[in-house]
Amino acid sequence: MSAGCADIDRDAVAALVAGRHGDPFALLGPHDAERGSELRAFVPGARAVEVLDEAGERSLGTLARLDPVGFFCGKLEHRAPYRLRLHHGDGRVEETADPYSFPTLLPEAELQRLHDGSHCQLANLLGAQPMRVDGVDGVRFAVWAPNASRVSVVGDFNGWDGRRHPMRLRHTAGVWELFLPQVRPGQAYKYELLDRHGHLLPLKADPCARATELPPATASRVPSPEPFAWSDAGWMQARAETEPASMRLSVYELHVGSWLPAGEAVDWGRLAERLIPYALGMGFTHIELMPVSEHPFGGSWGYQPLGLFAPSARWGTPAEFARFVDSCHDAGLGVLLDWVPGHFPTDAHGLARFDGSALYEHADPREGYQRDWNTLIYNHGRNEVIAFLISSALEWLERYHLDGLRVDAVASMLYRDYSRPADAWVPNIHGGRENYEAIGFLRQLNRTVHARVPGALMIAEESTAWPGVTADPAHGGLGFDFKWNMGWMHDTLEYFAHQPIHRRYHHDRISFGLLYAFDERFVLPISHDEVVHGKHSLLGRMPGDDWQRFANLRAFLGLMWAHPGKKLLFMGCEIGQREEWNHEAGVDWAALDDPRHRGVQRLVRDLNRSAAARDVLHSSDADATAFSWLDHNDAEASVFAFLRRGRGGGALVAVANLTPVPRHGYRLGVPHGGRWREVLNTDAGVYGGSGLGNGGGLGSEAQAWQGQPHSIIATLPPLAVVWFMED
């Protein structure tokens, strides 16, 4: 090796040393020269840089130091594979391949797909990818930041010095990339960016990170490249063959951090041991996890996520999360996840003004800022953002085998004026309030998921009367499998909050929902939102003395399970918890020492088991012809009665007496003669009720009633729901 580099651009070196150079490969690494090759390296604080042969066994010489900070240069007789031996100022000696000797690694076609919004696996393209390149182990880093003037990888491996490893810009899509030899899985990293004007930005976590530090730390971690060994092929195949509309879907919603008894450490292994047998024993088909995407503020319950590709480090590693899902499937339990594609928090290390510009969000706060939650709104009209969000959805469904996503706050995406005063929103191109870009995104999302992940459920939390939420996009719909029936939830809870003596004046709160119950494929949701922020627990929302409150709760649940629609119940509601949910306290499992709470728990279990044994309670949820009112006009007695039919030909009569007055000799129409069994009574003694009932069943009479050819004479217990089925 000989000295040289006298003709090097000193201004470029000065810019590199100052951390302002945006094209490091133009300056660093091997470059052709008149005689042989010229080699340049920048190692701040190094005393010397030695060049070794590819095997690291023979020294080829030492580079000359051109700058006191650490810029080195020298000439090789010919270009050949080499390694660097770095002699640091603190005495450390490090051997490594030169990051600036590797070619570009990101395929141009893949970058183009990011640019046009058709890429749907960005976590494989961007982020930190452990790999072997030319026989060298390391990590390829890539990040989308088209408006940055310089981007560097910083981390444990370079002293968090942004001058050390600036990245190469790929202009096709504004993506910066760099392969760093010897970086290993588990190491922490971030990106250091200068905006287009050269201003230093706060260090940014990787938007596509698959692993993170434990909060409150905010760095990303290089993920393990080891694939998880799944054992759920049979589950996945059976799921793909299931028709959503007729499936039994009974969902147990929970917050991972507060399901176990207060004071117990929470991780995915402990949760699997306790939660899976409990949920299955209660008869639920699925659990729904409130968001587990990495989020900086635990008090947001996960609804302000920044790590859309990373399970939160709070409860274990990504592999441990995958093992939890696999264990659920092995036991026969589905797993749904709350997913938040509408907004994100403003934390400086996150997506906000990521490269110094409004990259993920809208620049105009009338479009890009959500006042209710102090969050920023994704720009759903930007191709790269669409690719980012759809890739996130598929990451959870494909990489982690989740059985579906509950998409949060869909209404906030559909309407430009959502929760905004008249002067704080921007109309669409036709002057209206509909957000065409978000509509297009949701349709593309659902089309992509259904094409790629057979059997995965897409469920919308949508609180308005937007038409066609569950209709096919080809027919103008949004393409979801199910929509939360927020109208049913509000009306029914409002009805039950009234004292029974006043319910006669609010009778239509129960009957009104059946006017639109078949317009969409609905889930009836009693979620966390109904038992927080001063709303009281589900039991606490019921009126009357303690006996009446428990009876009202049991009647509410009996009516809910009889009503058309899939079911969702939040943790604690199944035991009649007295206090509203507190994420720092969790479920009041000690309440089960009281037989009244055990009675509610047993009722929920029996409701689920009854639904599992009777297709009439789920196969025709979306079929208007399978539902008939028997009586929805008896407001004076606050009695409701209806008939449901199943695909298998069975029929069920459900009757609710929502006053504390027993009703004797109450005639109900039935479609067939013979004996009708009392298959469920929420007033049964085993549930904590008075035990008033119908002796196990009733014989019918050949007297037409309520539009049916036969009838039965029933006793209606107080504040109770009774189900009858034909023998």
Side-chain angles (χ1 to χ4, degrees), residues 690-709:
S690 67
L692 185 64
N694 293 276
L698 299 167
S700 67
E701 300 178 3
Q703 179 176 339
W705 196 255
Q706 296 171 332
Q708 302 299 318

Side-chain angles (χ1 to χ4, degrees), residues 351-412:
L351 301 179
R353 298 195 68 83
F354 186 81
D355 62 359
S357 69
L359 191 62
Y360 288 87
E361 68 271 34
H362 291 274
D364 188 335
R366 295 176 299 168
E367 296 182 281
Y369 179 68
Q370 177 51 255
R371 300 182 180 194
D372 291 355
W373 307 310
N374 188 31
T375 53
L376 299 173
I377 300 170
Y378 286 106
N379 182 351
H380 297 106
R382 186 158 196 170
N383 288 341
E384 296 88 347
V385 173
I386 289 175
F388 173 77
L389 292 172
I390 292 178
S391 294
S392 167
L394 291 174
E395 182 81 356
W396 298 105
L397 296 171
E398 293 182 332
R399 187 177 184 84
Y400 292 108
H401 287 205
L402 293 178
D403 299 290
L405 301 176
R406 177 268 198 183
V407 181
D408 179 64
V410 169
S412 74

Side-chain angles (χ1 to χ4, degrees), residues 498-547:
H498 289 292
Q499 292 289 343
I501 196 171
H502 298 137
R503 286 175 177 170
R504 68 188 72 180
Y505 307 115
H506 305 279
H507 201 68
D508 63 341
R509 288 293 180 183
I510 298 296
S511 59
F512 177 71
L514 273 303
L515 295 177
Y516 61 85
F518 308 101
D519 292 350
E520 304 273 8
R521 293 187 296 274
F522 280 121
V523 172
L524 309 184
I526 298 299
S527 73
H528 64 279
D529 275 332
E530 312 320 317
V531 293
V532 291
H533 301 320
K535 296 177 184 176
H536 306 292
S537 67
L538 196 55
L539 177 68
R541 298 176 75 138
M542 302 297 160
D545 58 24
D546 238 24
W547 190 94

Side-chain angles (χ1 to χ4, degrees), residues 429-507:
I429 58 173
H430 297 114
R433 58 199 290 254
E434 299 83 3
N435 190 327
Y436 295 148
E437 294 80 11
I439 295 167
F441 158 68
L442 292 171
R443 288 172 174 164
Q444 183 176 340
L445 166 70
N446 288 320
R447 281 193 299 262
T448 304
V449 167
H450 289 135
R452 292 181 60 100
V453 195
L457 300 176
M458 297 298 289
I459 304 170
E461 185 213 12
E462 203 287 303
S463 55
T464 74
W466 186 277
V469 172
T470 58
D472 192 318
H475 302 132
L478 297 182
F480 286 95
D481 294 290
F482 296 106
K483 169 182 171 173
W484 274 19
N485 193 335
M486 310 295 279
W488 169 88
M489 177 271 296
H490 285 298
D491 286 349
T492 307
L493 286 177
E494 182 179 327
Y495 176 90
F496 271 86
H498 289 292
Q499 292 289 343
I501 196 171
H502 298 137
R503 286 175 177 170
R504 68 188 72 180
Y505 307 115
H506 305 279
H507 201 68

Side-chain angles (χ1 to χ4, degrees), residues 191-232:
Y191 296 111
E192 182 181 278
L193 300 90
L194 302 184
D195 69 12
R196 67 177 69 194
H197 304 295
H199 300 135
L200 184 65
L201 301 174
L203 291 183
K204 295 289 188 176
D206 190 341
C208 291
R210 280 176 161 150
T212 67
E213 285 188 308
L214 178 66
T218 58
S220 306
R221 287 198 182 278
V222 176
S224 169
E226 295 299 319
F228 183 78
W230 291 93
S231 61
D232 64 350

Side-chain angles (χ1 to χ4, degrees), residues 74-406:
K75 287 190 175 180
L76 297 170
E77 295 303 322
H78 57 86
R79 181 178 289 202
Y82 65 93
R83 294 176 61 81
L84 299 177
R85 179 178 289 157
L86 311 177
H87 299 264
H88 294 283
D90 58 6
R92 290 180 299 114
V93 178
E94 174 188 1
E95 286 190 14
T96 179
D98 184 358
Y100 299 97
S101 68
F102 293 91
T104 58
L105 299 176
L106 296 175
E108 191 70 19
E110 298 251 336
L111 293 175
Q112 185 59 49
R113 290 176 58 213
L114 165 62
H115 184 59
D116 65 26
S118 64
H119 206 296
C120 57
Q121 291 184 302
L122 284 192
N124 294 334
L125 178 70
L126 305 181
Q129 306 292 336
M131 60 178 60
R132 175 176 281 254
V133 178
D134 296 337
V136 177
D137 290 324
V139 176
R140 185 195 73 198
F141 293 92
V143 63
W144 178 54
N147 299 303
S149 59
R150 190 262 292 169
V151 181
S152 298
V153 185
V154 296
D156 297 336
F157 39 81
N158 61 14
W160 299 88
D161 187 341
R163 301 170 301 170
R164 181 75 186 276
H165 291 127
M167 305 172 78
R168 180 203 319 256
L169 174 62
R170 301 293 299 280
H171 292 277
T172 300
V175 170
W176 301 74
E177 69 163 310
L178 185 67
F179 177 75
L180 287 185
Q182 296 182 307
V183 175
R184 295 291 180 262
Q187 290 188 287
Y189 71 97
K190 284 186 176 181
Y191 296 111
E192 182 181 278
L193 300 90
L194 302 184
D195 69 12
R196 67 177 69 194
H197 304 295
H199 300 135
L200 184 65
L201 301 174
L203 291 183
K204 295 289 188 176
D206 190 341
C208 291
R210 280 176 161 150
T212 67
E213 285 188 308
L214 178 66
T218 58
S220 306
R221 287 198 182 278
V222 176
S224 169
E226 295 299 319
F228 183 78
W230 291 93
S231 61
D232 64 350
W235 170 274
M236 300 293 279
Q237 180 61 39
R239 187 190 77 181
E241 297 169 357
T242 301
E243 179 190 6
S246 62
M247 70 185 297
R248 185 173 79 89
L249 183 64
S250 185
V251 182
Y252 185 57
E253 186 198 19
L254 68 134
H255 177 259
V256 170
S258 59
W259 186 81
L260 288 170
E264 288 196 25
V266 182
D267 60 44
W268 292 115
R270 288 187 179 92
L271 197 66
E273 291 174 4
R274 304 275 286 279
L275 173 63
I276 295 173
Y278 178 78
L280 287 173
M282 289 295 294
F284 290 100
T285 63
H286 292 71
I287 57 173
E288 179 174 309
L289 307 176
M290 292 166 67
V292 301
S293 303
E294 192 59 89
H295 50 284
F297 176 46
S300 77
W301 314 327
Y303 289 98
Q304 295 192 7
L306 281 175
L308 261 65
F309 296 80
S312 177
R314 291 170 173 83
W315 306 302
T317 66
E320 288 166 341
F321 175 64
R323 188 171 299 113
F324 169 81
V325 177
D326 200 43
S327 298
C328 288
H329 288 174
D330 184 61
L333 185 66
V335 186
L336 307 175
L337 176 68
D338 271 7
W339 181 64
V340 187
H343 61 108
F344 59 90
T346 60
D347 298 65
H349 73 279
L351 301 179
R353 298 195 68 83
F354 186 81
D355 62 359
S357 69
L359 191 62
Y360 288 87
E361 68 271 34
H362 291 274
D364 188 335
R366 295 176 299 168
E367 296 182 281
Y369 179 68
Q370 177 51 255
R371 300 182 180 194
D372 291 355
W373 307 310
N374 188 31
T375 53
L376 299 173
I377 300 170
Y378 286 106
N379 182 351
H380 297 106
R382 186 158 196 170
N383 288 341
E384 296 88 347
V385 173
I386 289 175
F388 173 77
L389 292 172
I390 292 178
S391 294
S392 167
L394 291 174
E395 182 81 356
W396 298 105
L397 296 171
E398 293 182 332
R399 187 177 184 84
Y400 292 108
H401 287 205
L402 293 178
D403 299 290
L405 301 176
R406 177 268 198 183

Side-chain angles (χ1 to χ4, degrees), residues 591-612:
L592 289 173
D593 292 338
D594 185 328
R596 294 171 297 181
H597 293 278
R598 290 200 303 275
V600 174
Q601 185 187 47
R602 180 169 180 173
L603 172 63
V604 172
R605 183 193 65 194
D606 287 353
L607 290 169
N608 276 326
R609 290 181 176 180
S610 292

